Amino acid sequence: MRIGLLASTGGMLDSFFIEIAASWRSHGHYVSFAAGSPMKAARATVIPGLSRRPDLRMIKALTGLRRWSERKDLDVVVTNSATASALVRLAGGTVPVVYFCHGLHWNDARSIGDRIWPLVERALLARTAGVISLNSDDQRWFAARFAGRPHLHLPSGVGLDLLDYPVRPLPEGPLRLCWIGEFSSRKRPHLALDIAAHLRESGVVFRLEMLGEGEFRNEIRADVGSRGLSGIVTANGAGDAAAALERSHALVHTSQWEGLPRVMLESLAMGCPSYAFDVKGVRDIPLARFAADGEAGELADRIAADWTSGRLLEPMSFDRSTLDYSHAADGIRRFLPSVSGSETASPAAEKNQHVE
């Protein structure tokens, strides 16, 4: 089978699909990458006009997507990220498109975008040959609107190379927390400072390391000083997520919604507990500990109680092998023939996958 893998940026392909593509190639399949920017880990066809955010250059991208598909003689295109996934379906052509949905881009219909994007996605389903979902909320949305058509659900997402995320020994000393993500409005880093302020007021001795880049990082750093959290909270930029998890007792996650948060899966693989708000995508992470959405004080109290009682230091009982990327690679490989018609499809064998 000749498979095209498409994302809005090369970095998305670097982050999620290198191991999966290697697995497919080991089974004799051809894989072609394409994105709006170059990849670091592999060669990709760069589609002019394609980027993360929609703009007028998208018109140029439509032609580039059709040419890529035709030139590579693809049997199927697997696409992820919102802009690329919408454009490749609008571009038309004869190659079936599978939407690898890392997360439908709305939460609970409270904003204008939450009401518009479902209408757009519903219209695009007519141009969609198959769907791959990662969280239970998105799975239900597709089940109600894509019923009877090819749908693969991957509860562990794209998976991890577990060698990169070994089980870590418990850190010694005072409580150490980490926050890892993009300093953006959806990730809500300001709530991490609220949690830190509540913990300080409760008398817990701790440190919070915030790792990442984004538009709000400088603002967060200023707030650390103005809120008297200097020496307690750091936000020094990007870094090694696995190393940060290794030196932490727990991960704090504050996103408004997710597809399936990879950093929480990484934390789970390493035996590091996660504390988060009960929102779409996040609530699907096994063994995560939740508070109501936005209730920073409630989440801080949960962390403090678990630290004081010793629960936070207890080993996590979880079969980390279910997080290995091989499950996603094999499941998708078996799923694609049912969409492309190039081979007889085989049922997914892994127990952590569900085909609808």
Side-chain angles (χ1 to χ4, degrees), residues 179-198:
W179 181 98
I180 302 171
E182 184 179 34
F183 285 74
S184 64
S185 57
R186 182 165 69 86
K187 299 295 185 177
R188 304 189 295 190
H190 301 84
L191 287 177
L193 295 190
D194 292 342
I195 293 167
H198 281 285

Side-chain angles (χ1 to χ4, degrees), residues 209-230:
E209 177 183 9
M210 300 183 70
L211 210 64
E213 296 286 358
E215 58 178 320
F216 292 130
R217 189 169 75 86
N218 289 336
E219 183 178 319
I220 289 294
R221 296 188 70 181
D223 287 348
V224 167
S226 65
R227 298 183 68 168
L229 294 170
S230 298

Side-chain angles (χ1 to χ4, degrees), residues 1-2 24 37 65 70 77 122 176 211 221 226 229-230 239 316 325 327:
M1 193 186 317
R2 299 181 65 83
W24 292 347
S37 58
L65 288 168
E70 293 168 359
V77 170
R122 190 163 186 170
R176 295 186 63 94
L211 210 64
R221 296 188 70 181
S226 65
L229 294 170
S230 298
M316 298 175 67
Y325 73 86
H327 300 302

Side-chain angles (χ1 to χ4, degrees), residues 68-271:
W68 164 64
S69 175
E70 293 168 359
R71 187 171 64 252
K72 300 297 183 179
D73 192 26
L74 300 176
D75 295 313
V76 63
V77 170
V78 178
T79 177
N80 76 101
S81 62
T83 303
S85 298
L87 287 178
V88 73
R89 287 179 284 178
L90 290 173
T94 59
V95 178
V97 175
V98 172
Y99 181 22
F100 193 137
C101 179
H102 281 225
L104 291 169
H105 279 231
W106 60 84
N107 190 23
D108 56 9
R110 287 185 295 182
S111 69
I112 293 176
D114 282 352
R115 291 189 286 271
I116 292 176
W117 283 113
L119 298 176
V120 172
E121 186 55 49
R122 190 163 186 170
L124 289 170
L125 288 180
R127 296 170 175 257
T128 306
V131 164
I132 302 171
S133 60
L134 304 185
N135 68 61
S136 57
D137 290 83
D138 290 350
Q139 180 188 20
R140 285 191 293 271
W141 191 88
F142 284 117
R145 296 160 182 83
F146 206 68
R149 301 176 66 187
H151 179 185
L152 174 67
H153 185 64
L154 298 174
S156 295
V158 295
L160 308 170
D161 185 341
L162 293 177
L163 293 177
D164 294 335
Y165 302 97
V167 178
R168 89 274 136 83
L170 288 174
E172 298 181 355
L175 175 62
R176 295 186 63 94
L177 304 171
C178 64
W179 181 98
I180 302 171
E182 184 179 34
F183 285 74
S184 64
S185 57
R186 182 165 69 86
K187 299 295 185 177
R188 304 189 295 190
H190 301 84
L191 287 177
L193 295 190
D194 292 342
I195 293 167
H198 281 285
L199 284 171
R200 181 192 57 188
E201 292 168 5
S202 69
V204 176
V205 177
F206 73 99
R207 295 291 182 269
L208 170 62
E209 177 183 9
M210 300 183 70
L211 210 64
E213 296 286 358
E215 58 178 320
F216 292 130
R217 189 169 75 86
N218 289 336
E219 183 178 319
I220 289 294
R221 296 188 70 181
D223 287 348
V224 167
S226 65
R227 298 183 68 168
L229 294 170
S230 298
I232 298 175
V233 180
T234 60
N236 295 327
D240 186 329
L245 290 167
E246 184 175 4
R247 56 180 174 259
S248 299
H249 291 98
L251 170 73
V252 176
H253 195 75
T254 56
S255 188
Q256 183 180 18
W257 62 266
E258 291 280 2
L260 194 70
R262 183 180 178 89
V263 69
M264 293 181 74
L265 295 175
E266 295 168 353
S267 185
L268 179 63
M270 296 182 71

Side-chain angles (χ1 to χ4, degrees), residues 19 21 31 42 52 112 152 168 206 227 263-264 267 290 302 307 330 342 356:
E19 294 88 358
V31 180
R52 287 182 63 180
I112 293 176
L152 174 67
R168 89 274 136 83
F206 73 99
R227 298 183 68 168
V263 69
M264 293 181 74
S267 185
F290 299 113
R302 182 75 186 272
W307 176 251
D330 292 343
S342 60
E356 299 176 347

Side-chain angles (χ1 to χ4, degrees), residues 317-355:
S317 178
F318 181 77
D319 181 4
R320 66 192 299 269
S321 68
T322 62
L323 302 177
D324 192 88
Y325 73 86
S326 62
H327 300 302
D330 292 343
I332 299 169
R333 177 173 55 82
R334 292 185 172 99
F335 173 71
L336 292 182
S338 69
V339 175
S340 68
S342 60
E343 302 173 21
T344 301
S346 299
E350 290 79 6
K351 63 181 180 181
N352 67 324
Q353 296 166 359
H354 178 58
V355 181

